[in-house]
Amino acid sequence: MISDSLSCLGRYLGIHPALDTAIRWLGANDLNALPTGCTEVDGRTVYINVMDAGLRPAEGADFEYHHLYADLQIDLAGSEYWAWTARATPTAPFDPAADCGFAAGPEQSSGLLGEGRFALFLPGEYHKPSCISPVSRQVRKAVVKIRMGG
């Protein structure tokens, strides 16, 4: 898990070729100009889902995890709380078609998105995005999906 300012995103070049593609695209394009829905950057290797989302309470919410994709979470309007853990127990079978599973565990790290910050959750990392923040109950966000596994 990496959380930082968008202005520092270039520091993470070299971690993975697909992440490099995402970082370079984000440096040359305006996320705020994207329509709601899916925008392909490099086919299904790198794509961006832009959505308007109501936020959920963090307490009692499951973590999600992926095997193939990293999630680069960026709030375009509003602010959301996120959490991360290294220890969780699956609460349902993993869905390979959706590349998504859910698990419960203790929060070990957390933060806020918005105001130019991002969070990058790598494949296999348990993360809990889209939670109510002290200032927002709804956000407009971009989730950059980056295929790094399989």
Side-chain angles (χ1 to χ4, degrees):
M1 186 273 302
I2 298 170
S3 182
D4 202 341
S5 169
L6 281 169
S7 63
C8 298
L9 190 56
R11 292 179 182 172
Y12 304 100
L13 285 166
I15 292 174
H16 189 277
L19 179 59
D20 291 354
T21 298
I23 291 170
R24 289 189 178 103
W25 191 94
L26 291 166
N29 295 275
D30 180 7
L31 278 175
N32 291 300
L34 293 181
T36 300
C38 183
T39 298
E40 289 189 0
V41 172
D42 182 16
R44 298 310 284 173
T45 301
V46 177
Y47 60 96
I48 304 167
N49 287 322
V50 175
M51 65 199 80
D52 294 295
L55 301 176
R56 61 192 173 148
E59 189 171 330
D62 277 348
F63 289 88
E64 64 182 64
Y65 62 99
H66 314 289
H67 289 163
L68 301 177
Y69 285 89
D71 282 357
L72 177 57
Q73 308 255 342
I74 303 167
D75 286 353
L76 305 175
S79 172
E80 73 186 85
Y81 172 86
W82 60 264
W84 172 93
T85 190
R87 297 186 325 261
T89 303
T91 57
F94 186 83
D95 181 351
D99 187 41
C100 191
F102 295 96
E107 292 184 8
Q108 293 181 302
S109 182
S110 63
L112 293 175
L113 292 181
E115 299 180 1
R117 292 181 297 271
F118 72 88
L120 174 67
F121 302 104
L122 300 172
E125 292 187 321
Y126 301 106
H127 56 289
K128 186 189 305 185
S130 301
C131 296
I132 295 169
S133 79
V135 297
S136 295
R137 291 187 160 283
Q138 184 164 335
V139 293
R140 180 164 179 82
K141 68 184 291 184
V143 179
V144 184
K145 301 292 288 185
I146 305 159
R147 186 170 179 137
M148 297 177 80

PDB file of all heavy atoms in Angstrom, residues 20-48:
ATOM      1  N   ASP A  20       3.707   1.999 -14.539  1.00  0.00           N
ATOM      2  CA  ASP A  20       4.365   3.071 -15.303  1.00  0.00           C
ATOM      3  C   ASP A  20       3.421   3.644 -16.354  1.00  0.00           C
ATOM      4  O   ASP A  20       3.353   4.865 -16.535  1.00  0.00           O
ATOM      5  CB  ASP A  20       5.636   2.554 -15.991  1.00  0.00           C
ATOM      6  CG  ASP A  20       6.754   2.216 -15.013  1.00  0.00           C
ATOM      7  OD1 ASP A  20       6.613   2.483 -13.800  1.00  0.00           O
ATOM      8  OD2 ASP A  20       7.771   1.653 -15.476  1.00  0.00           O
ATOM      9  N   THR A  21       2.683   2.777 -17.055  1.00  0.00           N
ATOM     10  CA  THR A  21       1.717   3.233 -18.058  1.00  0.00           C
ATOM     11  C   THR A  21       0.684   4.136 -17.407  1.00  0.00           C
ATOM     12  O   THR A  21       0.357   5.211 -17.934  1.00  0.00           O
ATOM     13  CB  THR A  21       1.020   2.025 -18.728  1.00  0.00           C
ATOM     14  OG1 THR A  21       2.008   1.249 -19.403  1.00  0.00           O
ATOM     15  CG2 THR A  21      -0.053   2.464 -19.708  1.00  0.00           C
ATOM     16  N   ALA A  22       0.154   3.735 -16.264  1.00  0.00           N
ATOM     17  CA  ALA A  22      -0.854   4.533 -15.557  1.00  0.00           C
ATOM     18  C   ALA A  22      -0.276   5.876 -15.116  1.00  0.00           C
ATOM     19  O   ALA A  22      -0.908   6.928 -15.305  1.00  0.00           O
ATOM     20  CB  ALA A  22      -1.396   3.763 -14.360  1.00  0.00           C
ATOM     21  N   ILE A  23       0.898   5.866 -14.533  1.00  0.00           N
ATOM     22  CA  ILE A  23       1.518   7.105 -14.043  1.00  0.00           C
ATOM     23  C   ILE A  23       1.753   8.074 -15.194  1.00  0.00           C
ATOM     24  O   ILE A  23       1.451   9.272 -15.080  1.00  0.00           O
ATOM     25  CB  ILE A  23       2.831   6.791 -13.293  1.00  0.00           C
ATOM     26  CG1 ILE A  23       2.530   6.066 -11.977  1.00  0.00           C
ATOM     27  CG2 ILE A  23       3.635   8.064 -13.048  1.00  0.00           C
ATOM     28  CD1 ILE A  23       3.757   5.496 -11.279  1.00  0.00           C
ATOM     29  N   ARG A  24       2.277   7.581 -16.301  1.00  0.00           N
ATOM     30  CA  ARG A  24       2.539   8.466 -17.453  1.00  0.00           C
ATOM     31  C   ARG A  24       1.233   9.025 -18.017  1.00  0.00           C
ATOM     32  O   ARG A  24       1.163  10.198 -18.389  1.00  0.00           O
ATOM     33  CB  ARG A  24       3.343   7.724 -18.504  1.00  0.00           C
ATOM     34  CG  ARG A  24       4.786   7.489 -18.073  1.00  0.00           C
ATOM     35  CD  ARG A  24       5.665   6.934 -19.193  1.00  0.00           C
ATOM     36  NE  ARG A  24       7.020   6.794 -18.717  1.00  0.00           N
ATOM     37  CZ  ARG A  24       7.583   5.635 -18.359  1.00  0.00           C
ATOM     38  NH1 ARG A  24       6.899   4.504 -18.449  1.00  0.00           N
ATOM     39  NH2 ARG A  24       8.823   5.600 -17.929  1.00  0.00           N
ATOM     40  N   TRP A  25       0.192   8.192 -18.095  1.00  0.00           N
ATOM     41  CA  TRP A  25      -1.095   8.660 -18.605  1.00  0.00           C
ATOM     42  C   TRP A  25      -1.663   9.737 -17.689  1.00  0.00           C
ATOM     43  O   TRP A  25      -2.146  10.772 -18.147  1.00  0.00           O
ATOM     44  CB  TRP A  25      -2.077   7.486 -18.736  1.00  0.00           C
ATOM     45  CG  TRP A  25      -3.310   7.865 -19.488  1.00  0.00           C
ATOM     46  CD1 TRP A  25      -3.537   7.697 -20.822  1.00  0.00           C
ATOM     47  CD2 TRP A  25      -4.489   8.492 -18.957  1.00  0.00           C
ATOM     48  NE1 TRP A  25      -4.786   8.192 -21.150  1.00  0.00           N
ATOM     49  CE2 TRP A  25      -5.384   8.683 -20.026  1.00  0.00           C
ATOM     50  CE3 TRP A  25      -4.869   8.909 -17.690  1.00  0.00           C
ATOM     51  CZ2 TRP A  25      -6.632   9.273 -19.858  1.00  0.00           C
ATOM     52  CZ3 TRP A  25      -6.111   9.504 -17.517  1.00  0.00           C
ATOM     53  CH2 TRP A  25      -6.970   9.678 -18.594  1.00  0.00           C
ATOM     54  N   LEU A  26      -1.605   9.509 -16.390  1.00  0.00           N
ATOM     55  CA  LEU A  26      -2.129  10.483 -15.433  1.00  0.00           C
ATOM     56  C   LEU A  26      -1.355  11.799 -15.491  1.00  0.00           C
ATOM     57  O   LEU A  26      -1.938  12.871 -15.298  1.00  0.00           O
ATOM     58  CB  LEU A  26      -2.100   9.912 -14.014  1.00  0.00           C
ATOM     59  CG  LEU A  26      -3.097   8.779 -13.762  1.00  0.00           C
ATOM     60  CD1 LEU A  26      -2.769   8.065 -12.455  1.00  0.00           C
ATOM     61  CD2 LEU A  26      -4.529   9.288 -13.772  1.00  0.00           C
ATOM     62  N   GLY A  27      -0.076  11.730 -15.782  1.00  0.00           N
ATOM     63  CA  GLY A  27       0.728  12.943 -15.892  1.00  0.00           C
ATOM     64  C   GLY A  27       0.410  13.768 -17.123  1.00  0.00           C
ATOM     65  O   GLY A  27       0.675  14.972 -17.162  1.00  0.00           O
ATOM     66  N   ALA A  28      -0.172  13.128 -18.143  1.00  0.00           N
ATOM     67  CA  ALA A  28      -0.442  13.817 -19.410  1.00  0.00           C
ATOM     68  C   ALA A  28      -1.920  14.119 -19.642  1.00  0.00           C
ATOM     69  O   ALA A  28      -2.264  14.740 -20.648  1.00  0.00           O
ATOM     70  CB  ALA A  28       0.087  12.960 -20.570  1.00  0.00           C
ATOM     71  N   ASN A  29      -2.802  13.685 -18.731  1.00  0.00           N
ATOM     72  CA  ASN A  29      -4.243  13.830 -18.943  1.00  0.00           C
ATOM     73  C   ASN A  29      -4.923  14.356 -17.686  1.00  0.00           C
ATOM     74  O   ASN A  29      -4.406  14.215 -16.579  1.00  0.00           O
ATOM     75  CB  ASN A  29      -4.863  12.482 -19.336  1.00  0.00           C
ATOM     76  CG  ASN A  29      -4.365  11.994 -20.670  1.00  0.00           C
ATOM     77  OD1 ASN A  29      -4.885  12.366 -21.704  1.00  0.00           O
ATOM     78  ND2 ASN A  29      -3.319  11.154 -20.655  1.00  0.00           N
ATOM     79  N   ASP A  30      -6.108  14.924 -17.866  1.00  0.00           N
ATOM     80  CA  ASP A  30      -6.889  15.489 -16.771  1.00  0.00           C
ATOM     81  C   ASP A  30      -7.999  14.522 -16.382  1.00  0.00           C
ATOM     82  O   ASP A  30      -8.945  14.318 -17.153  1.00  0.00           O
ATOM     83  CB  ASP A  30      -7.475  16.834 -17.215  1.00  0.00           C
ATOM     84  CG  ASP A  30      -8.310  17.505 -16.143  1.00  0.00           C
ATOM     85  OD1 ASP A  30      -8.354  17.008 -14.994  1.00  0.00           O
ATOM     86  OD2 ASP A  30      -8.926  18.544 -16.459  1.00  0.00           O
ATOM     87  N   LEU A  31      -7.891  13.917 -15.200  1.00  0.00           N
ATOM     88  CA  LEU A  31      -8.921  12.997 -14.729  1.00  0.00           C
ATOM     89  C   LEU A  31     -10.286  13.669 -14.640  1.00  0.00           C
ATOM     90  O   LEU A  31     -11.305  13.035 -14.861  1.00  0.00           O
ATOM     91  CB  LEU A  31      -8.559  12.449 -13.349  1.00  0.00           C
ATOM     92  CG  LEU A  31      -7.591  11.292 -13.274  1.00  0.00           C
ATOM     93  CD1 LEU A  31      -7.258  10.983 -11.815  1.00  0.00           C
ATOM     94  CD2 LEU A  31      -8.152  10.063 -13.952  1.00  0.00           C
ATOM     95  N   ASN A  32     -10.315  14.945 -14.306  1.00  0.00           N
ATOM     96  CA  ASN A  32     -11.578  15.654 -14.161  1.00  0.00           C
ATOM     97  C   ASN A  32     -12.326  15.778 -15.482  1.00  0.00           C
ATOM     98  O   ASN A  32     -13.530  16.026 -15.482  1.00  0.00           O
ATOM     99  CB  ASN A  32     -11.353  17.038 -13.556  1.00  0.00           C
ATOM    100  CG  ASN A  32     -10.928  16.933 -12.102  1.00  0.00           C
ATOM    101  OD1 ASN A  32     -11.648  16.392 -11.280  1.00  0.00           O
ATOM    102  ND2 ASN A  32      -9.746  17.437 -11.799  1.00  0.00           N
ATOM    103  N   ALA A  33     -11.642  15.595 -16.592  1.00  0.00           N
ATOM    104  CA  ALA A  33     -12.285  15.699 -17.908  1.00  0.00           C
ATOM    105  C   ALA A  33     -12.922  14.375 -18.338  1.00  0.00           C
ATOM    106  O   ALA A  33     -13.648  14.345 -19.335  1.00  0.00           O
ATOM    107  CB  ALA A  33     -11.261  16.153 -18.951  1.00  0.00           C
ATOM    108  N   LEU A  34     -12.672  13.305 -17.605  1.00  0.00           N
ATOM    109  CA  LEU A  34     -13.213  11.997 -17.988  1.00  0.00           C
ATOM    110  C   LEU A  34     -14.695  11.894 -17.660  1.00  0.00           C
ATOM    111  O   LEU A  34     -15.150  12.394 -16.629  1.00  0.00           O
ATOM    112  CB  LEU A  34     -12.468  10.874 -17.265  1.00  0.00           C
ATOM    113  CG  LEU A  34     -11.011  10.663 -17.629  1.00  0.00           C
ATOM    114  CD1 LEU A  34     -10.433   9.495 -16.828  1.00  0.00           C
ATOM    115  CD2 LEU A  34     -10.849  10.419 -19.113  1.00  0.00           C
ATOM    116  N   PRO A  35     -15.447  11.197 -18.506  1.00  0.00           N
ATOM    117  CA  PRO A  35     -16.861  10.975 -18.205  1.00  0.00           C
ATOM    118  C   PRO A  35     -17.011   9.893 -17.138  1.00  0.00           C
ATOM    119  O   PRO A  35     -16.093   9.105 -16.888  1.00  0.00           O
ATOM    120  CB  PRO A  35     -17.429  10.484 -19.544  1.00  0.00           C
ATOM    121  CG  PRO A  35     -16.267   9.788 -20.194  1.00  0.00           C
ATOM    122  CD  PRO A  35     -15.046  10.594 -19.784  1.00  0.00           C
ATOM    123  N   THR A  36     -18.183   9.834 -16.543  1.00  0.00           N
ATOM    124  CA  THR A  36     -18.502   8.751 -15.628  1.00  0.00           C
ATOM    125  C   THR A  36     -18.476   7.439 -16.415  1.00  0.00           C
ATOM    126  O   THR A  36     -18.895   7.395 -17.565  1.00  0.00           O
ATOM    127  CB  THR A  36     -19.898   8.975 -15.020  1.00  0.00           C
ATOM    128  OG1 THR A  36     -19.874  10.230 -14.318  1.00  0.00           O
ATOM    129  CG2 THR A  36     -20.280   7.870 -14.066  1.00  0.00           C
ATOM    130  N   GLY A  37     -17.946   6.398 -15.800  1.00  0.00           N
ATOM    131  CA  GLY A  37     -17.846   5.099 -16.464  1.00  0.00           C
ATOM    132  C   GLY A  37     -16.401   4.716 -16.677  1.00  0.00           C
ATOM    133  O   GLY A  37     -15.490   5.246 -16.046  1.00  0.00           O
ATOM    134  N   CYS A  38     -16.193   3.796 -17.603  1.00  0.00           N
ATOM    135  CA  CYS A  38     -14.876   3.207 -17.843  1.00  0.00           C
ATOM    136  C   CYS A  38     -14.174   3.867 -19.023  1.00  0.00           C
ATOM    137  O   CYS A  38     -14.758   4.029 -20.088  1.00  0.00           O
ATOM    138  CB  CYS A  38     -15.027   1.713 -18.102  1.00  0.00           C
ATOM    139  SG  CYS A  38     -13.457   0.865 -18.318  1.00  0.00           S
ATOM    140  N   THR A  39     -12.910   4.231 -18.817  1.00  0.00           N
ATOM    141  CA  THR A  39     -12.037   4.733 -19.874  1.00  0.00           C
ATOM    142  C   THR A  39     -10.837   3.804 -19.968  1.00  0.00           C
ATOM    143  O   THR A  39     -10.121   3.614 -18.981  1.00  0.00           O
ATOM    144  CB  THR A  39     -11.559   6.168 -19.565  1.00  0.00           C
ATOM    145  OG1 THR A  39     -12.686   7.035 -19.496  1.00  0.00           O
ATOM    146  CG2 THR A  39     -10.587   6.664 -20.626  1.00  0.00           C
ATOM    147  N   GLU A  40     -10.631   3.203 -21.133  1.00  0.00           N
ATOM    148  CA  GLU A  40      -9.478   2.331 -21.309  1.00  0.00           C
ATOM    149  C   GLU A  40      -8.242   3.164 -21.629  1.00  0.00           C
ATOM    150  O   GLU A  40      -8.292   4.055 -22.478  1.00  0.00           O
ATOM    151  CB  GLU A  40      -9.740   1.322 -22.424  1.00  0.00           C
ATOM    152  CG  GLU A  40     -10.748   0.265 -22.032  1.00  0.00           C
ATOM    153  CD  GLU A  40     -10.864  -0.868 -23.041  1.00  0.00           C
ATOM    154  OE1 GLU A  40     -10.164  -0.857 -24.070  1.00  0.00           O
ATOM    155  OE2 GLU A  40     -11.671  -1.782 -22.766  1.00  0.00           O
ATOM    156  N   VAL A  41      -7.162   2.857 -20.945  1.00  0.00           N
ATOM    157  CA  VAL A  41      -5.872   3.497 -21.188  1.00  0.00           C
ATOM    158  C   VAL A  41      -5.005   2.556 -22.016  1.00  0.00           C
ATOM    159  O   VAL A  41      -4.404   2.947 -23.003  1.00  0.00           O
ATOM    160  CB  VAL A  41      -5.182   3.861 -19.853  1.00  0.00           C
ATOM    161  CG1 VAL A  41      -3.764   4.351 -20.087  1.00  0.00           C
ATOM    162  CG2 VAL A  41      -6.011   4.903 -19.100  1.00  0.00           C
ATOM    163  N   ASP A  42      -4.945   1.292 -21.600  1.00  0.00           N
ATOM    164  CA  ASP A  42      -4.191   0.250 -22.304  1.00  0.00           C
ATOM    165  C   ASP A  42      -5.013  -1.039 -22.245  1.00  0.00           C
ATOM    166  O   ASP A  42      -4.675  -1.975 -21.512  1.00  0.00           O
ATOM    167  CB  ASP A  42      -2.820   0.074 -21.668  1.00  0.00           C
ATOM    168  CG  ASP A  42      -1.957  -0.960 -22.372  1.00  0.00           C
ATOM    169  OD1 ASP A  42      -2.278  -1.332 -23.525  1.00  0.00           O
ATOM    170  OD2 ASP A  42      -0.960  -1.419 -21.774  1.00  0.00           O
ATOM    171  N   GLY A  43      -6.127  -1.037 -22.983  1.00  0.00           N
ATOM    172  CA  GLY A  43      -7.019  -2.191 -22.980  1.00  0.00           C
ATOM    173  C   GLY A  43      -7.473  -2.519 -21.576  1.00  0.00           C
ATOM    174  O   GLY A  43      -7.844  -1.638 -20.804  1.00  0.00           O
ATOM    175  N   ARG A  44      -7.419  -3.809 -21.210  1.00  0.00           N
ATOM    176  CA  ARG A  44      -7.798  -4.223 -19.857  1.00  0.00           C
ATOM    177  C   ARG A  44      -6.576  -4.308 -18.945  1.00  0.00           C
ATOM    178  O   ARG A  44      -6.683  -4.734 -17.797  1.00  0.00           O
ATOM    179  CB  ARG A  44      -8.530  -5.571 -19.893  1.00  0.00           C
ATOM    180  CG  ARG A  44      -9.825  -5.547 -20.678  1.00  0.00           C
ATOM    181  CD  ARG A  44     -10.770  -4.409 -20.322  1.00  0.00           C
ATOM    182  NE  ARG A  44     -11.463  -4.630 -19.069  1.00  0.00           N
ATOM    183  CZ  ARG A  44     -12.245  -3.728 -18.478  1.00  0.00           C
ATOM    184  NH1 ARG A  44     -12.439  -2.550 -19.019  1.00  0.00           N
ATOM    185  NH2 ARG A  44     -12.838  -4.010 -17.339  1.00  0.00           N
ATOM    186  N   THR A  45      -5.420  -3.844 -19.426  1.00  0.00           N
ATOM    187  CA  THR A  45      -4.235  -3.808 -18.572  1.00  0.00           C
ATOM    188  C   THR A  45      -4.286  -2.590 -17.649  1.00  0.00           C
ATOM    189  O   THR A  45      -3.961  -2.684 -16.471  1.00  0.00           O
ATOM    190  CB  THR A  45      -2.949  -3.787 -19.413  1.00  0.00           C
ATOM    191  OG1 THR A  45      -2.926  -4.966 -20.225  1.00  0.00           O
ATOM    192  CG2 THR A  45      -1.703  -3.752 -18.558  1.00  0.00           C
ATOM    193  N   VAL A  46      -4.700  -1.447 -18.195  1.00  0.00           N
ATOM    194  CA  VAL A  46      -4.878  -0.230 -17.397  1.00  0.00           C
ATOM    195  C   VAL A  46      -6.162   0.434 -17.871  1.00  0.00           C
ATOM    196  O   VAL A  46      -6.300   0.746 -19.057  1.00  0.00           O
ATOM    197  CB  VAL A  46      -3.696   0.760 -17.559  1.00  0.00           C
ATOM    198  CG1 VAL A  46      -3.953   2.044 -16.763  1.00  0.00           C
ATOM    199  CG2 VAL A  46      -2.377   0.123 -17.140  1.00  0.00           C
ATOM    200  N   TYR A  47      -7.088   0.616 -16.947  1.00  0.00           N
ATOM    201  CA  TYR A  47      -8.312   1.346 -17.265  1.00  0.00           C
ATOM    202  C   TYR A  47      -8.768   2.115 -16.033  1.00  0.00           C
ATOM    203  O   TYR A  47      -8.303   1.853 -14.912  1.00  0.00           O
ATOM    204  CB  TYR A  47      -9.408   0.425 -17.811  1.00  0.00           C
ATOM    205  CG  TYR A  47      -9.869  -0.677 -16.904  1.00  0.00           C
ATOM    206  CD1 TYR A  47     -10.996  -0.519 -16.102  1.00  0.00           C
ATOM    207  CD2 TYR A  47      -9.201  -1.890 -16.844  1.00  0.00           C
ATOM    208  CE1 TYR A  47     -11.432  -1.539 -15.272  1.00  0.00           C
ATOM    209  CE2 TYR A  47      -9.638  -2.916 -16.024  1.00  0.00           C
ATOM    210  CZ  TYR A  47     -10.762  -2.725 -15.237  1.00  0.00           C
ATOM    211  OH  TYR A  47     -11.182  -3.737 -14.416  1.00  0.00           O
ATOM    212  N   ILE A  48      -9.665   3.058 -16.248  1.00  0.00           N
ATOM    213  CA  ILE A  48     -10.086   3.953 -15.170  1.00  0.00           C
ATOM    214  C   ILE A  48     -11.603   3.926 -15.056  1.00  0.00           C
ATOM    215  O   ILE A  48     -12.302   4.151 -16.048  1.00  0.00           O
ATOM    216  CB  ILE A  48      -9.607   5.395 -15.441  1.00  0.00           C
ATOM    217  CG1 ILE A  48      -8.090   5.429 -15.631  1.00  0.00           C
ATOM    218  CG2 ILE A  48     -10.046   6.327 -14.310  1.00  0.00           C
ATOM    219  CD1 ILE A  48      -7.559   6.724 -16.192  1.00  0.00           C
TER     220      ILE A  48
END
